[in-house]
Amino acid sequence: MKAIAAAFLLVLAQPAHAWFDAGHQAIAAAAFVQLEPEAQQKVGRLLALHPDYPAWTTGVPEPERTKIAFIRASTWADDIKRRQDFWKNALAEDGEHATDNIGYGDRRSHPYWHYMDLPFSPDGAPTSAAPEPNALTQIRVFAKTLGSDASDEVKSYDLVWLEHLIADAHQPLHATSRFSKRLPKGDSGGNLELICLSFVCGLKLHAFWDSLLGQSGEPADAIETAARLPGPDPDRVGELEPRVWFEESAALAQAVVYKNAIGDGEGPFELDQAYQAQAREIARAQAALAAARLAGILNAALSRK
Ligand SMILES: [Zn+2]
């Protein structure tokens, strides 16, 4: 028990990467089977241009390569935040290069592309708007470029980013930040709120939400998780305007993430079983929705030409 608690603590103590690898991979696996044949074929051609494609597909039988590469590609945007051959700069440091869309020659990891924190305040503290570029501006750019006659190398890069960011957009804490008198610059999507689970204390609220779709980084596990996801909400699945995804996520954050167990004080807040069960259910519903919408965006961009 102690060993399990220690391992879980270690995982939750990592810097925020938004849905751990398992979540991103499960969303990708669920999206892949919803791609039209033509889109699947183009995805295969574009992923083959990725510098990591040989590593992703080593030992994978030919008919499985596109699917496995697509699943592995879903975490690349997080991987590069930890790699020595990429620079992890803040938005201000990247300056005019913050919006570069130049393909794999770009060695910036753009950590500020992973979220758009729509602000709210429970105690009347002043808030500030989400800076740009952010996940919304980049989803728009990448989706548009993917359907254009840009070079295949840039489209490959944009595809891999889209896969990742559309999943991030559906994690409620990638869409909001709580401003308060205690945290006047916001809580960075729950990264500054601490929580306790039954056996361990001092974890980040953000990391708890990232962990809800599992801890594995293996594509085979992701395929299994994907197969067990619920069907996407039929009333929301057709919504392909990305701004709405962030608004939905921010609303979920206020209605659920910051409710009940999470108070306005300093914490750490004890997450009871009811909170955890509801969180898991919402994460699975959001993952199903993210997958269907990712497939919708890719089908629209890649199926017509
Ligand atoms: Zn991310």
Side-chain angles (χ1 to χ4, degrees):
M1 185 64 193
K2 241 184 185 159
I4 297 170
F8 194 62
L9 178 63
L10 192 71
V11 169
L12 286 193
Q14 302 297 311
H17 292 302
W19 300 128
F20 291 158
D21 286 359
H24 278 288
Q25 290 192 349
I27 290 167
F32 188 80
V33 295
Q34 299 177 61
L35 293 179
E36 287 157 17
E38 199 188 343
Q40 269 192 16
Q41 220 172 53
K42 285 192 181 156
V43 160
R45 226 184 51 219
L46 292 176
L47 289 178
L49 300 174
H50 194 289
D52 294 347
Y53 183 84
W56 290 339
T57 54
T58 301
V60 177
E62 212 279 322
E64 295 289 302
R65 273 182 210 155
T66 298
K67 182 175 188 174
I68 298 298
F70 188 75
I71 293 172
R72 289 209 185 275
S74 69
T75 63
W76 181 79
D78 278 342
D79 298 340
I80 59 175
K81 293 187 210 163
R82 291 165 285 205
R83 272 170 51 169
Q84 299 293 319
D85 52 340
F86 281 80
W87 308 322
K88 190 181 170 190
N89 293 341
L91 176 54
E93 291 171 299
D94 278 347
E96 65 184 44
H97 293 291
T99 54
D100 280 356
N101 186 23
I102 57 172
Y104 299 114
D106 188 353
R107 309 310 278 186
R108 294 166 205 276
S109 65
H110 302 285
Y112 42 83
W113 284 356
H114 291 249
Y115 52 88
M116 177 173 71
D117 286 346
L118 299 169
F120 80 101
S121 169
D123 63 8
T127 62
S128 34
E132 294 185 357
N134 53 43
L136 174 61
T137 64
Q138 297 317 106
I139 287 172
R140 286 200 204 289
V141 168
F142 298 146
K144 192 172 171 202
T145 308
L146 202 58
S148 76
D149 51 12
S151 77
D152 279 353
E153 208 234 21
V154 168
K155 286 188 191 177
S156 172
Y157 177 86
D158 292 359
L159 166 66
V160 170
W161 268 104
L162 262 184
E163 242 192 285
H164 186 87
L165 295 183
I166 291 177
D168 277 353
H170 289 77
Q171 206 279 46
L173 286 172
H174 274 251
T176 199
S177 188
R178 180 169 75 169
F179 288 68
S180 59
K181 291 182 176 125
R182 183 175 66 86
L183 294 170
K185 291 181 177 167
D187 72 358
S188 296
N191 273 302
L192 301 178
E193 312 286 359
L194 297 181
I195 56 137
C196 299
L197 302 174
S198 47
F199 52 84
V200 68
C201 229
L203 309 172
K204 293 174 179 176
L205 177 64
H206 186 107
F208 169 77
W209 277 84
D210 277 347
S211 75
L212 290 168
L213 294 167
Q215 314 269 341
S216 161
E218 286 307 311
D221 294 332
I223 291 166
E224 255 187 69
T225 305
R228 290 197 308 265
L229 287 176
D233 181 343
D235 294 335
R236 295 163 68 201
V237 69
E239 179 59 73
L240 295 185
E241 165 51 50
R243 167 162 280 281
V244 177
W245 308 340
F246 288 92
E247 287 166 356
E248 287 174 352
S249 283
L252 265 178
Q254 286 189 54
V256 179
V257 177
Y258 289 99
K259 274 288 173 251
N260 301 323
I262 305 293
D264 295 338
E266 193 164 344
F269 306 103
E270 173 84 33
L271 301 190
D272 58 18
Q273 293 301 323
Y275 183 100
Q276 294 184 44
Q278 189 188 20
R280 204 152 284 126
E281 206 171 301
I282 284 172
R284 284 163 43 75
Q286 286 293 98
L289 210 47
R293 288 165 168 175
L294 170 59
I297 293 283
L298 296 184
N299 283 330
L302 296 174
S303 292
R304 35 182 139 83
K305 48 183 175 171

